[in-house]
Amino acid sequence: MVLTNTMLTFWIIAALMILLALWFILPALLQKSTENEEVELREANVLVYRDQNRELDADLKNGLIGEEQYQQEKAELERRLLEDVAASPDASSSGAKRGNAFAYSVALVVPLGAIVFYLIVGNPHGLNPATAPATTAASAADQPGQMSQGSMSPQQIAANIDKLADRLKQNPNDAQGWTMLARSYMMQERFSDAASAYEKLTTLNANDADAWADYAEALALANGQNLAGKPSEAINRALQINPKHQKALDLSGSAAYQAGDYKKAIEQWQTLLKLLPPGSDELKTVTDQISRTKALAASKGSR
């Protein structure tokens, strides 16, 4: 593998970052003073000796042991204490060596582990500008559900949509898949195909107001934006499920407007108006629609 400037820069920065991490880690691991360990060990031994000595005194006082046994046990305690204290430097030295060995192991494992982890999880080919685009495109082609149009050609997008459609033939009860397929068809302005996908979705999720409203929109667009007939039926079904569904209310007003029922159109849009955020573009658009419809109704003598 030929190292490009980008790759070389990356590995240099990575090495510096690893060295910086070790600079923080190693001193803390190596900074275990032998003298401190000796003091701690002596203190621990003395505490144990004191406890055992108090127990001996209590046993003697309570008559559990005789004077001769008391003196023997006490002498044994003193002897063991001296042996432990005398052996503490060796133990501390051994502990320090083990601590150093652990620190050096960390110094070796951290960079090696980081490199291995990157090679497994990361994308080394992405460091090479010559191979990065091909790798990205290949990965995207393997993911039918992830259709990033910014980095894919129209042919690749169409191929992914076809893959998704084929997958749904094998798994026709995948509601999420049908939603994705229908929206993809809408983006490609394949409105008849989108309507078919939404129709399948409404059979799977019969109480999904979103599905019915989207189905109505796709049907209308496939039929020259005509909302009469099946689109209106789908709109009414969406409003039965959710009377405050914004898209369904908007489409219902448009359907009434197309049918010349300006009163109903105004009523539906006024209901929608109450649901829109103040100052939003949608609110301004609907307000304009209501104003124009009122003017049209007045000119035709309708209320």
PDB file of all heavy atoms in Angstrom, residues 59-80:
ATOM      1  N   ASP A  59      -6.983 -12.199  77.291  1.00  0.00           N
ATOM      2  CA  ASP A  59      -7.048 -13.615  77.668  1.00  0.00           C
ATOM      3  C   ASP A  59      -6.390 -13.850  79.028  1.00  0.00           C
ATOM      4  O   ASP A  59      -6.893 -14.637  79.855  1.00  0.00           O
ATOM      5  CB  ASP A  59      -6.358 -14.467  76.599  1.00  0.00           C
ATOM      6  CG  ASP A  59      -7.161 -14.517  75.302  1.00  0.00           C
ATOM      7  OD1 ASP A  59      -8.357 -14.157  75.335  1.00  0.00           O
ATOM      8  OD2 ASP A  59      -6.594 -14.904  74.262  1.00  0.00           O
ATOM      9  N   LEU A  60      -5.252 -13.172  79.246  1.00  0.00           N
ATOM     10  CA  LEU A  60      -4.563 -13.320  80.528  1.00  0.00           C
ATOM     11  C   LEU A  60      -5.409 -12.758  81.664  1.00  0.00           C
ATOM     12  O   LEU A  60      -5.535 -13.373  82.739  1.00  0.00           O
ATOM     13  CB  LEU A  60      -3.210 -12.611  80.473  1.00  0.00           C
ATOM     14  CG  LEU A  60      -2.388 -12.630  81.776  1.00  0.00           C
ATOM     15  CD1 LEU A  60      -2.002 -14.072  82.148  1.00  0.00           C
ATOM     16  CD2 LEU A  60      -1.128 -11.772  81.628  1.00  0.00           C
ATOM     17  N   LYS A  61      -6.013 -11.596  81.421  1.00  0.00           N
ATOM     18  CA  LYS A  61      -6.824 -10.948  82.445  1.00  0.00           C
ATOM     19  C   LYS A  61      -8.056 -11.768  82.789  1.00  0.00           C
ATOM     20  O   LYS A  61      -8.492 -11.821  83.947  1.00  0.00           O
ATOM     21  CB  LYS A  61      -7.228  -9.562  81.956  1.00  0.00           C
ATOM     22  CG  LYS A  61      -8.014  -8.763  82.984  1.00  0.00           C
ATOM     23  CD  LYS A  61      -8.330  -7.374  82.444  1.00  0.00           C
ATOM     24  CE  LYS A  61      -9.117  -6.564  83.465  1.00  0.00           C
ATOM     25  NZ  LYS A  61      -9.429  -5.204  82.963  1.00  0.00           N
ATOM     26  N   ASN A  62      -8.628 -12.420  81.775  1.00  0.00           N
ATOM     27  CA  ASN A  62      -9.841 -13.213  81.988  1.00  0.00           C
ATOM     28  C   ASN A  62      -9.546 -14.636  82.446  1.00  0.00           C
ATOM     29  O   ASN A  62     -10.469 -15.441  82.603  1.00  0.00           O
ATOM     30  CB  ASN A  62     -10.673 -13.254  80.704  1.00  0.00           C
ATOM     31  CG  ASN A  62     -11.207 -11.879  80.331  1.00  0.00           C
ATOM     32  OD1 ASN A  62     -11.525 -11.076  81.211  1.00  0.00           O
ATOM     33  ND2 ASN A  62     -11.300 -11.618  79.032  1.00  0.00           N
ATOM     34  N   GLY A  63      -8.264 -14.947  82.595  1.00  0.00           N
ATOM     35  CA  GLY A  63      -7.895 -16.263  83.093  1.00  0.00           C
ATOM     36  C   GLY A  63      -7.969 -17.353  82.059  1.00  0.00           C
ATOM     37  O   GLY A  63      -8.029 -18.542  82.406  1.00  0.00           O
ATOM     38  N   LEU A  64      -7.964 -16.981  80.781  1.00  0.00           N
ATOM     39  CA  LEU A  64      -8.052 -17.988  79.726  1.00  0.00           C
ATOM     40  C   LEU A  64      -6.705 -18.645  79.462  1.00  0.00           C
ATOM     41  O   LEU A  64      -6.641 -19.773  78.967  1.00  0.00           O
ATOM     42  CB  LEU A  64      -8.588 -17.356  78.435  1.00  0.00           C
ATOM     43  CG  LEU A  64     -10.003 -16.768  78.528  1.00  0.00           C
ATOM     44  CD1 LEU A  64     -10.383 -16.104  77.216  1.00  0.00           C
ATOM     45  CD2 LEU A  64     -11.012 -17.859  78.891  1.00  0.00           C
ATOM     46  N   ILE A  65      -5.614 -17.930  79.757  1.00  0.00           N
ATOM     47  CA  ILE A  65      -4.271 -18.482  79.592  1.00  0.00           C
ATOM     48  C   ILE A  65      -3.458 -18.144  80.835  1.00  0.00           C
ATOM     49  O   ILE A  65      -3.757 -17.180  81.565  1.00  0.00           O
ATOM     50  CB  ILE A  65      -3.568 -17.926  78.335  1.00  0.00           C
ATOM     51  CG1 ILE A  65      -3.471 -16.396  78.400  1.00  0.00           C
ATOM     52  CG2 ILE A  65      -4.275 -18.361  77.056  1.00  0.00           C
ATOM     53  CD1 ILE A  65      -2.673 -15.790  77.253  1.00  0.00           C
ATOM     54  N   GLY A  66      -2.378 -18.938  81.046  1.00  0.00           N
ATOM     55  CA  GLY A  66      -1.515 -18.680  82.188  1.00  0.00           C
ATOM     56  C   GLY A  66      -0.413 -17.706  81.829  1.00  0.00           C
ATOM     57  O   GLY A  66      -0.223 -17.339  80.668  1.00  0.00           O
ATOM     58  N   GLU A  67       0.364 -17.308  82.882  1.00  0.00           N
ATOM     59  CA  GLU A  67       1.439 -16.342  82.676  1.00  0.00           C
ATOM     60  C   GLU A  67       2.506 -16.887  81.743  1.00  0.00           C
ATOM     61  O   GLU A  67       3.021 -16.168  80.883  1.00  0.00           O
ATOM     62  CB  GLU A  67       2.056 -15.983  84.032  1.00  0.00           C
ATOM     63  CG  GLU A  67       3.197 -14.974  83.963  1.00  0.00           C
ATOM     64  CD  GLU A  67       2.727 -13.601  83.524  1.00  0.00           C
ATOM     65  OE1 GLU A  67       1.549 -13.262  83.750  1.00  0.00           O
ATOM     66  OE2 GLU A  67       3.530 -12.854  82.924  1.00  0.00           O
ATOM     67  N   GLU A  68       2.830 -18.165  81.887  1.00  0.00           N
ATOM     68  CA  GLU A  68       3.879 -18.759  81.054  1.00  0.00           C
ATOM     69  C   GLU A  68       3.465 -18.773  79.588  1.00  0.00           C
ATOM     70  O   GLU A  68       4.241 -18.390  78.695  1.00  0.00           O
ATOM     71  CB  GLU A  68       4.169 -20.181  81.538  1.00  0.00           C
ATOM     72  CG  GLU A  68       5.300 -20.846  80.765  1.00  0.00           C
ATOM     73  CD  GLU A  68       5.597 -22.239  81.288  1.00  0.00           C
ATOM     74  OE1 GLU A  68       4.983 -22.653  82.300  1.00  0.00           O
ATOM     75  OE2 GLU A  68       6.432 -22.924  80.670  1.00  0.00           O
ATOM     76  N   GLN A  69       2.224 -19.196  79.319  1.00  0.00           N
ATOM     77  CA  GLN A  69       1.737 -19.213  77.927  1.00  0.00           C
ATOM     78  C   GLN A  69       1.649 -17.799  77.378  1.00  0.00           C
ATOM     79  O   GLN A  69       1.936 -17.556  76.201  1.00  0.00           O
ATOM     80  CB  GLN A  69       0.365 -19.894  77.858  1.00  0.00           C
ATOM     81  CG  GLN A  69      -0.160 -20.044  76.434  1.00  0.00           C
ATOM     82  CD  GLN A  69      -1.499 -20.753  76.376  1.00  0.00           C
ATOM     83  OE1 GLN A  69      -2.009 -21.203  77.416  1.00  0.00           O
ATOM     84  NE2 GLN A  69      -2.049 -20.870  75.182  1.00  0.00           N
ATOM     85  N   TYR A  70       1.259 -16.871  78.244  1.00  0.00           N
ATOM     86  CA  TYR A  70       1.166 -15.468  77.821  1.00  0.00           C
ATOM     87  C   TYR A  70       2.508 -14.958  77.337  1.00  0.00           C
ATOM     88  O   TYR A  70       2.611 -14.313  76.288  1.00  0.00           O
ATOM     89  CB  TYR A  70       0.648 -14.626  78.984  1.00  0.00           C
ATOM     90  CG  TYR A  70       0.729 -13.133  78.740  1.00  0.00           C
ATOM     91  CD1 TYR A  70      -0.188 -12.477  77.926  1.00  0.00           C
ATOM     92  CD2 TYR A  70       1.746 -12.388  79.350  1.00  0.00           C
ATOM     93  CE1 TYR A  70      -0.096 -11.106  77.711  1.00  0.00           C
ATOM     94  CE2 TYR A  70       1.842 -11.023  79.135  1.00  0.00           C
ATOM     95  CZ  TYR A  70       0.919 -10.378  78.312  1.00  0.00           C
ATOM     96  OH  TYR A  70       1.023  -9.017  78.095  1.00  0.00           O
ATOM     97  N   GLN A  71       3.570 -15.252  78.114  1.00  0.00           N
ATOM     98  CA  GLN A  71       4.897 -14.781  77.741  1.00  0.00           C
ATOM     99  C   GLN A  71       5.381 -15.437  76.449  1.00  0.00           C
ATOM    100  O   GLN A  71       6.018 -14.792  75.605  1.00  0.00           O
ATOM    101  CB  GLN A  71       5.886 -15.073  78.883  1.00  0.00           C
ATOM    102  CG  GLN A  71       5.611 -14.285  80.156  1.00  0.00           C
ATOM    103  CD  GLN A  71       5.744 -12.786  79.950  1.00  0.00           C
ATOM    104  OE1 GLN A  71       6.451 -12.324  79.039  1.00  0.00           O
ATOM    105  NE2 GLN A  71       5.055 -12.010  80.797  1.00  0.00           N
ATOM    106  N   GLN A  72       5.068 -16.721  76.282  1.00  0.00           N
ATOM    107  CA  GLN A  72       5.467 -17.414  75.054  1.00  0.00           C
ATOM    108  C   GLN A  72       4.767 -16.824  73.823  1.00  0.00           C
ATOM    109  O   GLN A  72       5.393 -16.584  72.788  1.00  0.00           O
ATOM    110  CB  GLN A  72       5.143 -18.905  75.186  1.00  0.00           C
ATOM    111  CG  GLN A  72       6.010 -19.650  76.190  1.00  0.00           C
ATOM    112  CD  GLN A  72       5.586 -21.098  76.328  1.00  0.00           C
ATOM    113  OE1 GLN A  72       4.566 -21.519  75.788  1.00  0.00           O
ATOM    114  NE2 GLN A  72       6.383 -21.882  77.079  1.00  0.00           N
ATOM    115  N   GLU A  73       3.449 -16.612  73.944  1.00  0.00           N
ATOM    116  CA  GLU A  73       2.683 -16.066  72.820  1.00  0.00           C
ATOM    117  C   GLU A  73       3.148 -14.653  72.477  1.00  0.00           C
ATOM    118  O   GLU A  73       3.262 -14.279  71.310  1.00  0.00           O
ATOM    119  CB  GLU A  73       1.186 -16.041  73.160  1.00  0.00           C
ATOM    120  CG  GLU A  73       0.560 -17.413  73.316  1.00  0.00           C
ATOM    121  CD  GLU A  73       0.391 -18.115  71.977  1.00  0.00           C
ATOM    122  OE1 GLU A  73       0.507 -17.461  70.918  1.00  0.00           O
ATOM    123  OE2 GLU A  73       0.148 -19.333  71.985  1.00  0.00           O
ATOM    124  N   LYS A  74       3.445 -13.876  73.510  1.00  0.00           N
ATOM    125  CA  LYS A  74       3.888 -12.503  73.267  1.00  0.00           C
ATOM    126  C   LYS A  74       5.241 -12.476  72.581  1.00  0.00           C
ATOM    127  O   LYS A  74       5.483 -11.675  71.667  1.00  0.00           O
ATOM    128  CB  LYS A  74       3.940 -11.750  74.597  1.00  0.00           C
ATOM    129  CG  LYS A  74       4.171 -10.255  74.429  1.00  0.00           C
ATOM    130  CD  LYS A  74       3.964  -9.519  75.743  1.00  0.00           C
ATOM    131  CE  LYS A  74       4.096  -8.023  75.525  1.00  0.00           C
ATOM    132  NZ  LYS A  74       3.856  -7.245  76.767  1.00  0.00           N
ATOM    133  N   ALA A  75       6.141 -13.373  73.010  1.00  0.00           N
ATOM    134  CA  ALA A  75       7.456 -13.442  72.370  1.00  0.00           C
ATOM    135  C   ALA A  75       7.328 -13.866  70.909  1.00  0.00           C
ATOM    136  O   ALA A  75       8.042 -13.358  70.025  1.00  0.00           O
ATOM    137  CB  ALA A  75       8.345 -14.426  73.146  1.00  0.00           C
ATOM    138  N   GLU A  76       6.396 -14.782  70.645  1.00  0.00           N
ATOM    139  CA  GLU A  76       6.178 -15.233  69.269  1.00  0.00           C
ATOM    140  C   GLU A  76       5.652 -14.091  68.399  1.00  0.00           C
ATOM    141  O   GLU A  76       6.059 -13.922  67.237  1.00  0.00           O
ATOM    142  CB  GLU A  76       5.188 -16.400  69.268  1.00  0.00           C
ATOM    143  CG  GLU A  76       4.829 -16.929  67.893  1.00  0.00           C
ATOM    144  CD  GLU A  76       6.006 -17.563  67.169  1.00  0.00           C
ATOM    145  OE1 GLU A  76       7.013 -17.901  67.845  1.00  0.00           O
ATOM    146  OE2 GLU A  76       5.933 -17.706  65.933  1.00  0.00           O
ATOM    147  N   LEU A  77       4.747 -13.286  68.957  1.00  0.00           N
ATOM    148  CA  LEU A  77       4.220 -12.137  68.213  1.00  0.00           C
ATOM    149  C   LEU A  77       5.327 -11.149  67.872  1.00  0.00           C
ATOM    150  O   LEU A  77       5.405 -10.640  66.748  1.00  0.00           O
ATOM    151  CB  LEU A  77       3.138 -11.428  69.033  1.00  0.00           C
ATOM    152  CG  LEU A  77       1.741 -12.050  69.033  1.00  0.00           C
ATOM    153  CD1 LEU A  77       0.826 -11.257  69.946  1.00  0.00           C
ATOM    154  CD2 LEU A  77       1.166 -12.080  67.625  1.00  0.00           C
ATOM    155  N   GLU A  78       6.194 -10.877  68.857  1.00  0.00           N
ATOM    156  CA  GLU A  78       7.281  -9.921  68.619  1.00  0.00           C
ATOM    157  C   GLU A  78       8.237 -10.443  67.555  1.00  0.00           C
ATOM    158  O   GLU A  78       8.729  -9.687  66.707  1.00  0.00           O
ATOM    159  CB  GLU A  78       8.016  -9.658  69.931  1.00  0.00           C
ATOM    160  CG  GLU A  78       7.174  -8.889  70.944  1.00  0.00           C
ATOM    161  CD  GLU A  78       7.870  -8.754  72.287  1.00  0.00           C
ATOM    162  OE1 GLU A  78       8.913  -9.439  72.471  1.00  0.00           O
ATOM    163  OE2 GLU A  78       7.379  -8.001  73.141  1.00  0.00           O
ATOM    164  N   ARG A  79       8.508 -11.764  67.604  1.00  0.00           N
ATOM    165  CA  ARG A  79       9.405 -12.340  66.607  1.00  0.00           C
ATOM    166  C   ARG A  79       8.812 -12.225  65.194  1.00  0.00           C
ATOM    167  O   ARG A  79       9.488 -11.843  64.244  1.00  0.00           O
ATOM    168  CB  ARG A  79       9.660 -13.813  66.948  1.00  0.00           C
ATOM    169  CG  ARG A  79      10.650 -14.509  65.996  1.00  0.00           C
ATOM    170  CD  ARG A  79      10.744 -15.990  66.320  1.00  0.00           C
ATOM    171  NE  ARG A  79       9.459 -16.651  66.107  1.00  0.00           N
ATOM    172  CZ  ARG A  79       9.019 -17.014  64.892  1.00  0.00           C
ATOM    173  NH1 ARG A  79       9.737 -16.759  63.814  1.00  0.00           N
ATOM    174  NH2 ARG A  79       7.851 -17.625  64.780  1.00  0.00           N
ATOM    175  N   ARG A  80       7.521 -12.543  65.058  1.00  0.00           N
ATOM    176  CA  ARG A  80       6.873 -12.469  63.739  1.00  0.00           C
ATOM    177  C   ARG A  80       6.815 -11.040  63.225  1.00  0.00           C
ATOM    178  O   ARG A  80       6.982 -10.779  62.037  1.00  0.00           O
ATOM    179  CB  ARG A  80       5.459 -13.053  63.826  1.00  0.00           C
ATOM    180  CG  ARG A  80       5.475 -14.590  63.827  1.00  0.00           C
ATOM    181  CD  ARG A  80       4.201 -15.187  64.352  1.00  0.00           C
ATOM    182  NE  ARG A  80       3.009 -14.500  63.839  1.00  0.00           N
ATOM    183  CZ  ARG A  80       1.798 -14.653  64.365  1.00  0.00           C
ATOM    184  NH1 ARG A  80       1.642 -15.432  65.431  1.00  0.00           N
ATOM    185  NH2 ARG A  80       0.764 -14.033  63.850  1.00  0.00           N
TER     186      ARG A  80
END
